[in-house]
Each structure stands twice: as C-alpha cells, then as structure tokens.
Amino acid sequence: QPQGDPDREYRSDSGGSGFVVSADGYVVTNHHVIEGATKLRVRLEERYYDATIKGTDPATDLALLKIEAGRPLTFLPLGDSDRMRQGDYVMAIGNPFGLDSTVTSGIVSAKGRHIGQGPYDNFIQTDASINPGNSGGPLINLRGEVVGLNTAIASNSGGNDGIGFSIPINIAMSV
C-alpha cells in the first residue's frame, strides 16, 4: 500500500484479453491478467458482465472465469495445437494498449519454446504482434480455431519486437 492515509482505499484499473469458450459463459484468460483483482468485469459487444473466478493455475498462467449473460454466447472453436507446424499462419487477437479488437497476423516460428516461465514452459513462438494487453487473448489458425493463448513477449523495449509466446490450447484445456 502506498504511503499516506492508511484508511484510504486505493483503486487501480487494468485490462487484458480473454475469449469465450462455451455458450454458457466460460471465459479463458491468463492468471497474470486477473491476479490480485478484487472485481472482474468482462466486456462483450460493448456490454459489461461481472465475472467470477472458477479456477486459476499460476504455474501455467491460466484462469477460467464465468459470466452470466442471460443468453447463449457465441464462442470460439478450439483447434489442436499438437497439429500445428512451423510456418503455419496464425492471428493474435486482443486489446493491446487498450485498443479493442486488434488483430495481427504472422506465422508459427517454433513450438515447444522454453522461456523460463515455470514448470509448464512449452510455448508456441509467433511473429504475430503481441503487446501488453494482448495477454489472455486467442491465437487463431486459418480455420478460425483457437490454437494458443497469448501470454508473453520477448522484448528489450517493452513492446512488440516480433517474438511472442502463446500457451498451446491443448495444454490450456487439459489444465
């Protein structure tokens, strides 16, 4: 807590990305996107929904949220990240720097990358632009299927240097 009045409440807003994985409102994102949050809201189509945490796994940096939309939701189909190959085209979708619904494209540079992020250090590397705020968003193949969960970047500047990392969707869904 910052120095000053110990009875004063401090508020900080932050954001990230995520995606709906079921018609009944389950949303997947990164653990680091929601870590320490006291209130979670998910925005879909310019509407906000309160979210509850259904599960988190800091070791894999995954979180599962639930929203009650009052209607069946459109959700993204899941692909098979084990079938991906180096050179496959992919798109990263998210909210980098608070810019809603940003889509970037690139190729899979490598699979099974180890970047020192924990016991499940097994990432898809892509040159699709991934920036702060993209965390938790989907990495999508050309069939429109989610094959990864955008999680990290390798950068000297703090922004995109053309090296992004996603958790393979097969690992995410097994967790």
Side-chain angles (χ1 to χ4, degrees), residues 19 21 25-36 40 51-67 149 167 172-175:
F19 56 97
V21 294
Y26 282 94
V27 176
V28 174
T29 189
N30 286 129
H31 172 78
H32 77 262
V33 168
I34 63 144
E35 185 175 21
L40 296 170
T52 56
I53 298 171
K54 291 299 182 179
T56 64
D57 184 35
T60 55
D61 196 18
L62 294 168
L64 182 64
L65 310 178
K66 179 77 165 68
I67 62 172
L149 185 76
I167 299 168
M173 297 318 294
S174 69
V175 172

Tab-separated table of all heavy atoms in Angstrom, residues 19 21 25-36 40 51-67 149 167 172-175:
chain	number	residue	atom	x	y	z
A	19	PHE	N	-11.175	-14.923	-23.986
A	19	PHE	CA	-12.114	-15.361	-25.005
A	19	PHE	C	-13.102	-16.359	-24.428
A	19	PHE	O	-12.805	-17.097	-23.500
A	19	PHE	CB	-11.404	-15.929	-26.243
A	19	PHE	CG	-10.446	-17.059	-25.966
A	19	PHE	CD1	-10.840	-18.375	-26.123
A	19	PHE	CD2	-9.155	-16.786	-25.559
A	19	PHE	CE1	-9.955	-19.408	-25.870
A	19	PHE	CE2	-8.260	-17.817	-25.311
A	19	PHE	CZ	-8.659	-19.131	-25.463
A	21	VAL	N	-15.286	-19.622	-24.304
A	21	VAL	CA	-15.075	-20.998	-24.757
A	21	VAL	C	-16.324	-21.870	-24.662
A	21	VAL	O	-16.282	-23.036	-25.030
A	21	VAL	CB	-13.901	-21.686	-24.012
A	21	VAL	CG1	-12.585	-21.024	-24.350
A	21	VAL	CG2	-14.139	-21.734	-22.518
A	25	GLY	N	-21.016	-19.211	-20.976
A	25	GLY	CA	-20.289	-18.084	-20.396
A	25	GLY	C	-18.958	-18.346	-19.757
A	25	GLY	O	-18.490	-17.521	-18.966
A	26	TYR	N	-18.290	-19.434	-20.073
A	26	TYR	CA	-16.935	-19.627	-19.552
A	26	TYR	C	-15.945	-18.862	-20.420
A	26	TYR	O	-16.031	-18.889	-21.657
A	26	TYR	CB	-16.577	-21.108	-19.482
A	26	TYR	CG	-17.205	-21.794	-18.293
A	26	TYR	CD1	-18.416	-22.453	-18.416
A	26	TYR	CD2	-16.598	-21.733	-17.042
A	26	TYR	CE1	-19.013	-23.054	-17.325
A	26	TYR	CE2	-17.193	-22.326	-15.936
A	26	TYR	CZ	-18.392	-22.986	-16.084
A	26	TYR	OH	-18.984	-23.566	-14.997
A	27	VAL	N	-15.023	-18.183	-19.755
A	27	VAL	CA	-14.037	-17.324	-20.419
A	27	VAL	C	-12.653	-17.742	-19.948
A	27	VAL	O	-12.419	-17.919	-18.746
A	27	VAL	CB	-14.277	-15.837	-20.068
A	27	VAL	CG1	-13.209	-14.947	-20.678
A	27	VAL	CG2	-15.673	-15.405	-20.504
A	28	VAL	N	-11.726	-17.885	-20.885
A	28	VAL	CA	-10.341	-18.239	-20.560
A	28	VAL	C	-9.478	-16.986	-20.712
A	28	VAL	O	-9.655	-16.197	-21.642
A	28	VAL	CB	-9.824	-19.360	-21.496
A	28	VAL	CG1	-8.345	-19.630	-21.266
A	28	VAL	CG2	-10.631	-20.627	-21.287
A	29	THR	N	-8.534	-16.808	-19.790
A	29	THR	CA	-7.566	-15.724	-19.850
A	29	THR	C	-6.304	-16.182	-19.132
A	29	THR	O	-6.194	-17.338	-18.717
A	29	THR	CB	-8.142	-14.421	-19.249
A	29	THR	OG1	-7.246	-13.339	-19.521
A	29	THR	CG2	-8.373	-14.542	-17.751
A	30	ASN	N	-5.355	-15.277	-18.976
A	30	ASN	CA	-4.142	-15.580	-18.221
A	30	ASN	C	-4.342	-15.291	-16.739
A	30	ASN	O	-5.053	-14.345	-16.371
A	30	ASN	CB	-2.955	-14.739	-18.692
A	30	ASN	CG	-2.383	-15.177	-20.009
A	30	ASN	OD1	-2.218	-14.367	-20.900
A	30	ASN	ND2	-2.059	-16.451	-20.132
A	31	HIS	N	-3.689	-16.074	-15.900
A	31	HIS	CA	-3.710	-15.826	-14.460
A	31	HIS	C	-3.155	-14.438	-14.151
A	31	HIS	O	-3.708	-13.715	-13.325
A	31	HIS	CB	-2.898	-16.906	-13.725
A	31	HIS	CG	-2.707	-16.609	-12.277
A	31	HIS	ND1	-3.697	-16.813	-11.351
A	31	HIS	CD2	-1.649	-16.093	-11.600
A	31	HIS	CE1	-3.251	-16.453	-10.159
A	31	HIS	NE2	-2.016	-16.007	-10.289
A	32	HIS	N	-2.082	-14.037	-14.833
A	32	HIS	CA	-1.488	-12.736	-14.511
A	32	HIS	C	-2.392	-11.563	-14.893
A	32	HIS	O	-2.226	-10.465	-14.371
A	32	HIS	CB	-0.080	-12.581	-15.115
A	32	HIS	CG	-0.026	-12.287	-16.579
A	32	HIS	ND1	0.180	-13.259	-17.535
A	32	HIS	CD2	-0.130	-11.118	-17.261
A	32	HIS	CE1	0.203	-12.700	-18.735
A	32	HIS	NE2	0.011	-11.393	-18.593
A	33	VAL	N	-3.389	-11.788	-15.749
A	33	VAL	CA	-4.341	-10.733	-16.098
A	33	VAL	C	-5.284	-10.448	-14.930
A	33	VAL	O	-5.654	-9.299	-14.691
A	33	VAL	CB	-5.144	-11.120	-17.364
A	33	VAL	CG1	-6.325	-10.191	-17.585
A	33	VAL	CG2	-4.237	-11.118	-18.580
A	34	ILE	N	-5.659	-11.469	-14.176
A	34	ILE	CA	-6.628	-11.300	-13.085
A	34	ILE	C	-6.004	-11.326	-11.697
A	34	ILE	O	-6.684	-11.055	-10.716
A	34	ILE	CB	-7.732	-12.375	-13.174
A	34	ILE	CG1	-7.134	-13.768	-13.005
A	34	ILE	CG2	-8.483	-12.275	-14.480
A	34	ILE	CD1	-8.005	-14.712	-12.275
A	35	GLU	N	-4.731	-11.633	-11.615
A	35	GLU	CA	-4.062	-11.779	-10.319
A	35	GLU	C	-4.222	-10.515	-9.477
A	35	GLU	O	-3.985	-9.405	-9.932
A	35	GLU	CB	-2.580	-12.070	-10.540
A	35	GLU	CG	-1.824	-12.363	-9.269
A	35	GLU	CD	-0.385	-12.768	-9.561
A	35	GLU	OE1	0.126	-12.452	-10.651
A	35	GLU	OE2	0.198	-13.399	-8.678
A	36	GLY	N	-4.683	-10.696	-8.247
A	36	GLY	CA	-4.833	-9.588	-7.303
A	36	GLY	C	-6.090	-8.765	-7.495
A	36	GLY	O	-6.323	-7.808	-6.763
A	40	LEU	N	-13.901	-8.324	-11.111
A	40	LEU	CA	-13.627	-8.644	-12.505
A	40	LEU	C	-14.849	-8.342	-13.352
A	40	LEU	O	-15.973	-8.705	-12.983
A	40	LEU	CB	-13.282	-10.124	-12.663
A	40	LEU	CG	-12.015	-10.596	-11.970
A	40	LEU	CD1	-11.930	-12.107	-12.009
A	40	LEU	CD2	-10.806	-9.982	-12.638
A	51	ALA	N	-17.752	-10.961	-13.568
A	51	ALA	CA	-17.184	-12.302	-13.745
A	51	ALA	C	-16.762	-12.869	-12.402
A	51	ALA	O	-16.344	-12.133	-11.501
A	51	ALA	CB	-15.978	-12.242	-14.682
A	52	THR	N	-16.891	-14.174	-12.274
A	52	THR	CA	-16.383	-14.871	-11.098
A	52	THR	C	-15.259	-15.800	-11.544
A	52	THR	O	-15.263	-16.313	-12.665
A	52	THR	CB	-17.492	-15.700	-10.416
A	52	THR	OG1	-18.051	-16.601	-11.363
A	52	THR	CG2	-18.579	-14.803	-9.865
A	53	ILE	N	-14.315	-15.993	-10.664
A	53	ILE	CA	-13.192	-16.884	-10.943
A	53	ILE	C	-13.630	-18.306	-10.630
A	53	ILE	O	-14.051	-18.607	-9.520
A	53	ILE	CB	-11.958	-16.513	-10.106
A	53	ILE	CG1	-11.496	-15.102	-10.452
A	53	ILE	CG2	-10.839	-17.530	-10.318
A	53	ILE	CD1	-10.406	-14.564	-9.521
A	54	LYS	N	-13.524	-19.189	-11.611
A	54	LYS	CA	-13.860	-20.595	-11.420
A	54	LYS	C	-12.622	-21.438	-11.166
A	54	LYS	O	-12.713	-22.524	-10.627
A	54	LYS	CB	-14.626	-21.141	-12.630
A	54	LYS	CG	-16.007	-20.562	-12.751
A	54	LYS	CD	-16.837	-20.910	-11.533
A	54	LYS	CE	-18.241	-20.399	-11.634
A	54	LYS	NZ	-19.050	-20.762	-10.472
A	55	GLY	N	-11.471	-20.934	-11.567
A	55	GLY	CA	-10.234	-21.649	-11.312
A	55	GLY	C	-9.048	-20.887	-11.874
A	55	GLY	O	-9.180	-20.158	-12.854
A	56	THR	N	-7.916	-21.038	-11.210
A	56	THR	CA	-6.677	-20.444	-11.701
A	56	THR	C	-5.551	-21.447	-11.503
A	56	THR	O	-5.616	-22.310	-10.623
A	56	THR	CB	-6.291	-19.136	-10.974
A	56	THR	OG1	-6.020	-19.413	-9.616
A	56	THR	CG2	-7.383	-18.093	-11.094
A	57	ASP	N	-4.526	-21.307	-12.321
A	57	ASP	CA	-3.332	-22.119	-12.186
A	57	ASP	C	-2.129	-21.231	-12.478
A	57	ASP	O	-1.766	-21.035	-13.645
A	57	ASP	CB	-3.376	-23.312	-13.141
A	57	ASP	CG	-2.175	-24.223	-12.949
A	57	ASP	OD1	-1.719	-24.374	-11.792
A	57	ASP	OD2	-1.686	-24.773	-13.941
A	58	PRO	N	-1.530	-20.665	-11.431
A	58	PRO	CA	-0.382	-19.788	-11.647
A	58	PRO	C	0.786	-20.476	-12.360
A	58	PRO	O	1.521	-19.828	-13.108
A	58	PRO	CB	0.024	-19.365	-10.231
A	58	PRO	CG	-1.200	-19.563	-9.412
A	58	PRO	CD	-1.925	-20.728	-10.029
A	59	ALA	N	0.951	-21.772	-12.172
A	59	ALA	CA	2.078	-22.478	-12.793
A	59	ALA	C	1.995	-22.448	-14.316
A	59	ALA	O	3.017	-22.349	-14.998
A	59	ALA	CB	2.144	-23.925	-12.295
A	60	THR	N	0.782	-22.519	-14.860
A	60	THR	CA	0.615	-22.450	-16.313
A	60	THR	C	0.105	-21.086	-16.757
A	60	THR	O	-0.097	-20.867	-17.953
A	60	THR	CB	-0.376	-23.524	-16.813
A	60	THR	OG1	-1.600	-23.381	-16.099
A	60	THR	CG2	0.187	-24.919	-16.645
A	61	ASP	N	-0.108	-20.177	-15.818
A	61	ASP	CA	-0.591	-18.820	-16.087
A	61	ASP	C	-1.962	-18.843	-16.743
A	61	ASP	O	-2.244	-18.077	-17.661
A	61	ASP	CB	0.417	-18.037	-16.938
A	61	ASP	CG	0.140	-16.531	-16.907
A	61	ASP	OD1	-0.586	-16.067	-16.002
A	61	ASP	OD2	0.632	-15.827	-17.807
A	62	LEU	N	-2.848	-19.710	-16.240
A	62	LEU	CA	-4.190	-19.839	-16.796
A	62	LEU	C	-5.253	-19.475	-15.767
A	62	LEU	O	-5.066	-19.696	-14.571
A	62	LEU	CB	-4.437	-21.270	-17.272
A	62	LEU	CG	-3.592	-21.729	-18.444
A	62	LEU	CD1	-3.712	-23.235	-18.624
A	62	LEU	CD2	-3.990	-20.995	-19.707
A	63	ALA	N	-6.361	-18.929	-16.260
A	63	ALA	CA	-7.505	-18.630	-15.400
A	63	ALA	C	-8.791	-18.901	-16.172
A	63	ALA	O	-8.865	-18.652	-17.378
A	63	ALA	CB	-7.476	-17.180	-14.944
A	64	LEU	N	-9.779	-19.418	-15.458
A	64	LEU	CA	-11.093	-19.679	-16.019
A	64	LEU	C	-12.098	-18.807	-15.273
A	64	LEU	O	-12.188	-18.862	-14.043
A	64	LEU	CB	-11.458	-21.155	-15.878
A	64	LEU	CG	-12.797	-21.582	-16.475
A	64	LEU	CD1	-12.793	-21.402	-18.001
A	64	LEU	CD2	-13.100	-23.031	-16.104
A	65	LEU	N	-12.846	-18.004	-16.030
A	65	LEU	CA	-13.852	-17.118	-15.465
A	65	LEU	C	-15.228	-17.559	-15.939
A	65	LEU	O	-15.355	-18.290	-16.923
A	65	LEU	CB	-13.616	-15.673	-15.933
A	65	LEU	CG	-12.217	-15.096	-15.777
A	65	LEU	CD1	-12.170	-13.679	-16.333
A	65	LEU	CD2	-11.782	-15.124	-14.332
A	66	LYS	N	-16.262	-17.056	-15.264
A	66	LYS	CA	-17.643	-17.356	-15.658
A	66	LYS	C	-18.435	-16.066	-15.608
A	66	LYS	O	-18.331	-15.298	-14.654
A	66	LYS	CB	-18.249	-18.382	-14.688
A	66	LYS	CG	-19.696	-18.753	-14.968
A	66	LYS	CD	-19.802	-19.705	-16.132
A	66	LYS	CE	-21.134	-20.396	-16.263
A	66	LYS	NZ	-22.249	-19.591	-16.624
A	67	ILE	N	-19.190	-15.820	-16.674
A	67	ILE	CA	-20.106	-14.688	-16.705
A	67	ILE	C	-21.524	-15.207	-16.937
A	67	ILE	O	-21.716	-16.283	-17.501
A	67	ILE	CB	-19.725	-13.656	-17.792
A	67	ILE	CG1	-19.786	-14.255	-19.185
A	67	ILE	CG2	-18.364	-13.056	-17.503
A	67	ILE	CD1	-19.613	-13.242	-20.309
A	149	LEU	N	-3.027	-19.445	-26.396
A	149	LEU	CA	-3.440	-18.371	-25.500
A	149	LEU	C	-2.252	-17.429	-25.377
A	149	LEU	O	-1.218	-17.795	-24.812
A	149	LEU	CB	-3.810	-18.974	-24.150
A	149	LEU	CG	-4.388	-18.072	-23.093
A	149	LEU	CD1	-5.847	-17.771	-23.422
A	149	LEU	CD2	-4.304	-18.734	-21.739
A	167	ILE	N	0.498	-20.048	-24.948
A	167	ILE	CA	0.330	-21.374	-24.354
A	167	ILE	C	-0.457	-22.222	-25.346
A	167	ILE	O	-1.525	-21.792	-25.808
A	167	ILE	CB	-0.463	-21.269	-23.031
A	167	ILE	CG1	0.278	-20.405	-22.019
A	167	ILE	CG2	-0.751	-22.656	-22.464
A	167	ILE	CD1	-0.567	-20.011	-20.813
A	172	ALA	N	-3.704	-25.743	-22.257
A	172	ALA	CA	-4.665	-24.921	-21.528
A	172	ALA	C	-5.934	-25.699	-21.197
A	172	ALA	O	-6.412	-25.662	-20.065
A	172	ALA	CB	-4.999	-23.671	-22.339
A	173	MET	N	-6.473	-26.411	-22.171
A	173	MET	CA	-7.727	-27.117	-21.934
A	173	MET	C	-7.552	-28.340	-21.038
A	173	MET	O	-8.478	-28.711	-20.327
A	173	MET	CB	-8.394	-27.478	-23.253
A	173	MET	CG	-8.785	-26.247	-24.088
A	173	MET	SD	-9.522	-24.858	-23.164
A	173	MET	CE	-11.047	-25.559	-22.622
A	174	SER	N	-6.375	-28.942	-21.049
A	174	SER	CA	-6.165	-30.063	-20.126
A	174	SER	C	-6.067	-29.572	-18.690
A	174	SER	O	-6.484	-30.250	-17.766
A	174	SER	CB	-4.921	-30.868	-20.515
A	174	SER	OG	-3.744	-30.136	-20.288
A	175	VAL	N	-5.529	-28.382	-18.485
A	175	VAL	CA	-5.438	-27.793	-17.149
A	175	VAL	C	-6.824	-27.348	-16.710
A	175	VAL	O	-7.254	-27.572	-15.613
A	175	VAL	CB	-4.448	-26.604	-17.115
A	175	VAL	CG1	-4.502	-25.871	-15.788
A	175	VAL	CG2	-3.041	-27.084	-17.393
